[in-house]
Amino acid sequence: MVKNNQREVWGSKIGVILAVAGSAIGLGNFLRFPVQAVKNGGGAFIIPYLISFLLLGIPLMWIEWTIGRFGGGFGHGTAPGMFHNIANKNRFVKYFGIIGIFGPIVIYIYYTYIESWLLGYAFFSLTGNLALCQDQTSMVSFLKGYQGLEKNQFFSSIIPAYIFFVLTFILNILTVAGGIQKGIERVCRYGLPVLFLMGIILMVRILTLSPIYPEHIDWTPGKGLGFLWNPDFSALLDAKVWLAAAGQIFFTLSVGIGVILTYASYLKKNEDIILSGLTAAATNEWAEVVLGGSIAITSAFLFFGPEGIKNVAESGAFNLGFVAIPLTLNHIHYGFIFGFFWFMLLFIAGITSSISLAQPAIAFLEDEFNFDRKKSVKIFASVTFVLCNLSVFLLSKGFVDELDFWGGTFALVLFGTIEAILFSWVFGIDRAWDEMHAGSDLTLPRFYRFVIKYITPSLLVIILVFWFIREAKDVVLMKNISAEVMPYIIFTRFVLFALLVAIAWLVHIAWKKKEA
Ligand code: PFF
């Protein structure tokens, strides 16, 4: 039995920063960011992106570290217990917290499967199989064959993908079973430096490449960088670009979902929040715009040029990372090694994120039901293994996209809004500000107090209202969904709803027991 007063703690300050940075740095930095940036016009995207980072990302990062450390002091590692305490034990507020367990599980269900493709691709880079694909058509066939979407000369079944999925799943579970210090902290401590090293090597190699085609000598790395970094102010009035930028900031920083709350609950009472939170967020941004931006966008630009790169990004979420980049790498000496680096880097980035997605559900069972870690991990593994299989086998039916929408997009903004309001307005900005600064050497400029109290919550509410007006009806009525996949989407929504209700019910029982 784990008693509340014996909750685990992080082993060191650098350990917790690396764990949070590890959660933040993930597929979002290397696959999602480049696609979002290219689709939304490159230089037009970067300004809303940076503004969202300053006004939404950083404040939410601090808010979550603060609520998390505060809640951890009461023995709570997840949002229901934390919200219960910051809202003066109001009976209802804890139910908002269920999103902070639900969201991470939903993302985990598809994220782990995509992460496993990277392990598969790292393997097939080394074996030379990937190097056989010299053009876009064969690279796309390779991906479709691997995903089990078609049988072709590369793959005749989904078995290879399934093996890599099971391996990835087991690695995740073994890590969380090791606990905070010996599992999560250790993997991030070793994983992140390796990731940075591989990222820097790749970045240097790509930035020093010569143009691939003699007829396009202006498709250079410098022009590729300019695609992202030449600001374009004309799109600043386009709401779509702002929504995409804000969504990317949430996803990439892992904020607005409950994961950072759980990690922060293992901080000691007076451990620094402000500088550590800022360092973790800044490390993520460096990995995203410097590494992710230059590796992915530049290499795709070298191969496809200024127009082609947009078509690739529009043609599917995975085509930049799984098609464009390996194609470019295949054109350089020892390309298979660079290909291996690219996919391995992504795999490490993925696993340090997926373990953070697993931890809230595990912490919930440990803290609120007093289960020991082994039992909690077993329950988590059994439930998510079944659900992950749906990602594997219903990929072509829109299962993953649906989860990405509800868990990876909608839940983040909704939960972020709830947190921001609870923090500044229910807990109260005065207490919140003091709590945030407890144990910190730095004092934030008062400007940020204003941002956290007024700007962040208002922007979040505006985004939500905007979404309701523009898209809610179509999403709810499944307007853009074909008749063929409709039954699967209904099934997916049913599964999600059942999961949400199950968590609400668990919260209900846990508190009933406590109050008895
Ligand atoms: N931040 C991760 C990425 O960029 O890939 C994804 C993620 C992890 C989102 C954990 C949310 C989360 F809670």
Side-chain angles (χ1 to χ4, degrees), residues 23-29 107 111 251-254 257 259 353 356-357:
S23 169
I25 301 173
L27 311 185
N29 299 52
I107 303 180
Y111 200 90
F251 191 84
T252 188
L253 287 174
S254 306
I257 197 72
V259 159
S353 299
S356 77
L357 291 160

Side-chain angles (χ1 to χ4, degrees), residues 119-387:
L119 191 60
Y121 266 63
F123 175 80
F124 290 120
S125 299
L126 280 189
T127 57
N129 293 46
L130 207 56
L132 298 175
C133 308
Q134 291 292 333
D135 57 25
Q136 192 177 354
T137 318
S138 56
M139 205 51 107
V140 170
S141 301
F142 193 94
L143 181 60
K144 288 197 167 152
Y146 183 86
Q147 294 169 329
L149 301 181
E150 65 182 37
K151 289 192 173 53
N152 54 34
Q153 76 267 38
F154 300 109
F155 295 97
S156 57
S157 81
I158 201 172
I159 294 175
Y162 199 78
I163 294 173
F164 286 108
F165 157 65
V166 173
L167 267 174
T168 304
F169 190 87
I170 293 176
L171 282 174
N172 271 283
I173 295 302
L174 287 179
T175 306
V176 285
I180 295 300
Q181 282 191 25
K182 297 219 174 80
I184 295 175
E185 189 169 341
R186 192 190 280 169
V187 165
C188 294
R189 227 173 213 280
Y190 290 108
L192 284 199
V194 176
L195 183 161
F196 292 148
L197 188 70
M198 291 199 285
I200 291 171
I201 294 175
L202 266 172
M203 181 176 76
V204 171
R205 184 67 203 103
I206 285 170
L207 292 182
T208 51
L209 281 177
S210 324
I212 295 179
Y213 310 105
E215 67 274 25
H216 290 300
I217 46 165
D218 58 337
W219 292 6
T220 58
K223 286 262 163 52
L225 285 181
F227 185 77
L228 184 61
W229 290 108
N230 288 334
D232 165 7
F233 295 95
S234 67
L236 278 188
L237 291 178
D238 185 349
K240 214 180 92 239
V241 177
W242 281 93
L243 287 182
Q248 176 60 22
I249 280 296
F250 276 90
F251 191 84
T252 188
L253 287 174
S254 306
V255 293
I257 197 72
V259 159
I260 310 276
L261 293 178
T262 300
Y263 271 12
S265 76
Y266 301 106
L267 286 169
K268 290 181 208 116
K269 187 96 203 83
N270 271 328
E271 218 161 331
D272 165 73
I273 284 179
I274 295 183
L275 191 58
S276 304
L278 189 63
T279 312
T283 311
N284 178 69
E285 289 316 298
W286 176 78
E288 178 141 305
V289 298
V290 179
L291 290 185
S294 49
I295 298 173
I297 295 180
T298 311
S299 62
F301 186 88
L302 285 174
F303 200 87
F304 291 96
E307 286 310 313
I309 191 174
K310 284 190 201 140
N311 298 335
V312 180
E314 305 261 344
S315 66
F318 300 115
N319 287 348
L320 209 60
F322 288 90
V323 174
I325 294 171
L327 274 176
T328 308
L329 297 177
N330 274 349
H331 276 77
I332 56 184
H333 283 305
Y334 298 106
F336 69 98
I337 301 229
F338 290 106
F340 172 75
F341 278 6
W342 167 243
F343 289 112
M344 209 51 209
L345 169 165
L346 269 160
F347 178 70
I348 297 174
I351 196 162
T352 55
S353 299
S354 51
I355 51 181
S356 77
L357 291 160
Q359 189 59 27
I362 295 168
F364 175 69
L365 295 173
E366 289 179 331
D367 297 332
E368 312 305 349
F369 286 90
N370 274 342
F371 291 168
D372 62 17
R373 191 193 313 141
K374 217 162 144 196
K375 183 167 174 185
S376 309
V377 171
K378 265 192 198 152
I379 298 175
F380 174 80
S382 319
V383 173
T384 52
F385 186 75
V386 175
L387 294 170

